[in-house]
Amino acid sequence: MDQLNGAHNAVMANYLLEQSTSATRITITKRLLVLSTSDRGDEMQLPPEEIAESLNSSLRTVQMNFVALACDNLGIAPPVPNTFWIHMNNPYLLGHKITKTTLMPH
């Protein structure tokens, strides 16, 4: 179920970013950096560059679920009418649930 919810958020977040203004993308990015630190459970604050580097090396689904989480936190509605962001407690966990097998079953 997490894989389906993660895919739902990822598709909508990706589309939203493509349609967003520069200012909106910056706002989302700032919130995303704060949320990704708290979801990692880091006891000390990491520099934004390190957080961004960690996210950049994550699966695209993980990245887009952080965007969805940030949008939900900011009150930015999904780009598809009558839908909602599905809250993922920790988008980093999606990286452990989505593998080549789940992406391309035999």
Side-chain angles (χ1 to χ4, degrees):
M1 197 65 175
D2 281 348
Q3 295 165 354
L4 181 60
N5 291 340
H8 166 90
N9 282 345
V11 169
M12 290 199 305
N14 193 69
Y15 181 76
L16 182 132
L17 284 179
E18 289 176 356
Q19 305 302 314
S20 294
T21 65
S22 220
T24 300
R25 286 192 296 263
I26 290 169
T27 300
I28 291 169
T29 301
K30 287 179 181 178
R31 183 58 55 109
L32 181 148
L33 292 173
V34 170
L35 292 170
S36 65
T37 299
S38 63
D39 281 346
R40 287 167 47 111
D42 291 341
E43 292 184 14
M44 59 183 192
Q45 182 68 28
L46 293 174
E49 298 81 16
E50 286 185 37
I51 298 167
E53 187 176 314
S54 173
L55 282 172
N56 282 339
S57 65
S58 298
L59 288 172
R60 183 72 172 168
T61 305
V62 172
Q63 295 170 1
M64 290 300 101
N65 272 273
F66 270 110
V67 169
L69 187 61
C71 288
D72 190 39
N73 193 268
L74 291 165
I76 298 172
V80 178
N82 302 316
T83 61
F84 52 90
W85 299 112
I86 298 172
H87 183 76
M88 305 296 291
N89 288 328
N90 186 344
Y92 280 115
L93 293 178
L94 287 172
H96 299 291
K97 295 181 180 189
I98 298 173
T99 64
K100 284 184 180 180
T101 305
T102 59
L103 290 175
M104 300 181 303
H106 292 92

